[in-house]
Amino acid sequence: MRKVAGLLLIVLLPVVMKAQEVPVADKPVVMISLVPQYAFQSGFRMDFDLPLNERHWIQLAPIFFAGNNVEMSITTADKLGGLALHAYHRYYPDAERDRFQPYVAWGPGFQHYAIDYKVYNGNVRVSKHTNINRIGADLTMGFVSQGSALFFDCYAGAGIRQAFLSGDKDSGEQFNDTFLDFGYSGVLFVAGVRVGVMIKKNKR
Amino acid sequence: MKTKISALILMATLAFPLISRSQMPEDQGAKTRLMWVPQYLFNSGMRFEVDRKLNDELWIVASPTIYYKDNPDNWLYGNSNIYGRKGISAEAWLKWYPEQQSRKRNYIMAGGGYTLSQRKRFAERWQGYLEDGLLFYRYDESYWNTTTHAFALRVAAGRHIYEDRNFLIDAYLGLGIRFASTSRPSGFIYNDPQPSTLDQDYSGVIGVAGLRLGLQW
């Protein structure tokens, strides 16, 4: 009888222990963040990070641009409007969520800008309008702070862009001077900070 | 009070490596690395390297690079005569870690590869035209493209200078040799200077130096 009880205890011990396990860290179900540096380009970017599993996430980054007198390297946009969407696949090589969690992210993006501006024709300023459609892809690496509902994410990497101009596109070089310009085509440095909230679901 | 603060700073400094090490996972199991080589941005290049472990001592590295810029190039190399560039490069390295250290590992790497690049330049050329039945020549300013095929062999020594969890920074230094062949359209009056060792159309001994940062898992 004792032997049977002992055997039963050994067999059931893992089950009993599992039942007594304390809840582990909450599992994030969505991360919502703002990317403040886009404000320098009259842009408002809000990111939504959605988990596929513990290591793989999808990051959707819609951006809205609107502003008057937006300065670029060569010209100033009297009026700027634009929409963009970037989508990234994020991979966290270490699923353990403590301190700063490193990750790598890659994905494509599309941007559309409508720009009203003026150029000099002799001594006369002439109004112009150019539409820019730009495609590209980025590969970045970064760290996300963990341990709180509020998180910070610092990232850096490289990307590539190709712009297609329409409208008054003959003055396209005005939008393609540095990698910060809306009509830039080429390889560029990508870096930034995201700050946001991590919405969690209790994982038991 | 000042002494206490000094002692605290000293203790924190001494303890930092222990603290940071204690928070790192065992990195012996890393088999793959994805490393960004940021200095290629100065040449309008986007380079990410993939390292794959072969055994405890040997790793193989694939280094693809894309070069692209559709406007005058950056000023860092004084190559203001370049008005745009396109290119691809494929290189492979073998890395050998002679010592089996868990951190701050030193390595020797050797490898090479091929680069195809096209650069847009601006210059004058003679252009013939007819006027009143007579053939005249005049200067015509125009863009022209060079196409460069380059093969390079390199050897370098490097060190993992910082590791934290999956994050890794390594630096390397060495030298190599490059054989470049550049084709140019005829009829132009070229004003491009002799290429320096940093230019893609340079042939000869080259220096190899760089910094890589990325993740390993």
Side-chain angles (χ1 to χ4, degrees):
Chain A
M1 186 63 190
R2 269 187 183 176
K3 278 184 182 174
V4 173
L7 195 65
L8 207 65
L9 188 66
I10 291 166
V11 170
L12 289 178
L13 193 62
V15 180
V16 174
M17 282 177 75
K18 203 161 198 177
Q20 288 177 344
E21 252 178 22
V22 289
V24 290
D26 293 343
K27 187 181 173 185
V29 287
V30 64
M31 289 159 70
I32 300 172
S33 56
L34 296 173
V35 191
Q37 69 268 18
Y38 274 79
F40 291 110
Q41 283 188 310
S42 300
F44 178 85
R45 171 170 159 178
M46 183 180 271
D47 286 14
F48 301 89
D49 294 20
L50 308 162
L52 298 173
N53 58 42
E54 277 199 327
R55 287 193 162 94
H56 296 269
W57 287 61
I58 291 290
Q59 175 189 350
L60 297 173
I63 315 162
F64 171 70
F65 294 89
N68 293 323
N69 298 315
V70 180
E71 286 190 11
M72 288 172 278
S73 303
I74 294 178
T75 192
T76 298
D78 295 335
K79 193 177 165 193
L80 167 76
L83 286 171
L85 179 66
H86 291 234
Y88 299 104
H89 177 202
R90 290 166 76 92
Y91 174 62
Y92 295 90
D94 186 356
E96 194 182 335
R97 298 185 167 275
D98 67 335
R99 214 167 50 116
F100 293 101
Q101 193 179 19
Y103 71 88
V104 56
W106 61 86
F110 172 78
Q111 298 159 349
H112 171 79
Y113 305 105
I115 302 171
D116 290 330
Y117 58 103
K118 291 187 178 71
V119 294
Y120 275 100
N121 186 358
N123 289 327
V124 183
R125 292 188 80 199
V126 182
S127 293
K128 298 263 187 181
H129 178 86
T130 297
N131 293 314
I132 300 171
N133 290 317
R134 198 160 68 146
I135 55 171
D138 298 330
L139 203 166
T140 59
M141 296 164 184
F143 292 91
V144 181
S145 68
Q146 301 287 343
S148 147
L150 190 71
F151 75 88
F152 293 90
D153 175 354
C154 298
Y155 60 91
I160 190 164
R161 300 281 183 273
Q162 177 62 55
F164 304 94
L165 276 63
S166 60
D168 295 313
K169 60 181 181 179
D170 52 325
S171 46
E173 69 275 4
Q174 303 203 50
F175 310 115
N176 185 16
D177 188 47
T178 72
F179 72 92
L180 294 170
D181 287 338
F182 296 109
Y184 174 84
S185 290
V187 168
L188 76 167
F189 176 56
V190 179
V193 176
R194 305 192 310 153
V195 56
V197 289
M198 204 176 284
I199 298 167
K200 296 176 179 178
K201 186 177 142 188
N202 207 343
K203 180 183 163 188
R204 286 179 182 275
Chain B
M1 187 63 187
K2 218 173 182 180
T3 319
K4 278 183 184 174
I5 291 169
S6 305
L8 200 65
I9 290 169
L10 184 68
M11 279 165 69
T13 310
L14 292 174
F16 180 71
L18 297 174
I19 295 165
S20 56
R21 188 165 292 190
S22 69
Q23 291 178 344
M24 293 171 199
E26 194 58 50
D27 65 347
Q28 295 294 318
K31 289 188 172 68
T32 304
R33 297 185 189 126
L34 179 63
M35 307 295 289
W36 175 38
V37 195
Q39 65 268 21
Y40 276 77
L41 283 172
F42 295 128
N43 222 7
S44 306
M46 179 177 174
R47 180 171 180 128
F48 287 91
E49 300 187 337
V50 179
D51 298 16
R52 188 75 188 157
K53 187 178 182 178
L54 297 177
N55 58 44
D56 285 345
E57 292 183 351
L58 287 178
W59 287 66
I60 192 162
V61 183
S63 310
T65 313
I66 297 171
Y67 299 93
Y68 181 48
K69 195 165 188 186
D70 191 27
N71 68 350
D73 223 320
N74 69 67
W75 45 268
L76 281 173
Y77 296 158
N79 51 6
S80 57
N81 192 28
I82 296 171
Y83 289 80
R85 69 168 68 220
K86 295 173 197 166
I88 52 164
S89 168
E91 293 192 341
W93 304 81
L94 201 61
K95 292 177 92 162
W96 175 51
Y97 291 88
E99 299 159 319
Q100 291 305 303
Q101 294 164 291
S102 60
R103 316 197 68 78
K104 304 279 183 190
R105 301 175 75 189
N106 299 313
Y107 63 83
I108 293 166
M109 64 179 184
Y114 167 73
T115 302
L116 168 66
S117 72
Q118 194 176 64
R119 288 178 296 172
K120 189 169 149 187
R121 295 193 160 185
F122 188 69
E124 293 179 328
R125 67 174 170 182
W126 288 108
Q127 187 192 42
Y129 65 101
L130 278 172
E131 196 172 291
D132 298 331
L134 294 172
L135 180 63
F136 291 89
Y137 287 92
R138 66 183 170 195
Y139 279 132
D140 172 39
E141 288 187 326
S142 181
Y143 290 106
W144 52 283
N145 287 302
T146 59
T147 303
T148 301
H149 302 272
F151 293 90
L153 295 169
R154 304 167 204 250
V155 60
R159 181 176 169 84
H160 294 187
I161 54 176
Y162 182 77
E163 286 179 60
D164 187 1
R165 292 188 68 177
N166 304 80
F167 184 62
L168 169 68
I169 299 178
D170 82 55
Y172 55 90
L173 188 66
L175 49 83
I177 189 160
R178 186 195 287 140
F179 306 94
S181 162
T182 301
S183 62
R184 301 167 167 188
S186 60
F188 281 87
I189 298 167
Y190 298 110
N191 59 355
D192 54 316
Q194 286 298 311
S196 73
T197 56
L198 294 170
D199 284 326
Q200 286 170 329
D201 50 351
Y202 173 84
S203 285
V205 173
I206 50 172
V208 177
L211 189 77
R212 309 189 316 153
L213 49 112
L215 301 180
Q216 58 182 357
W217 61 89

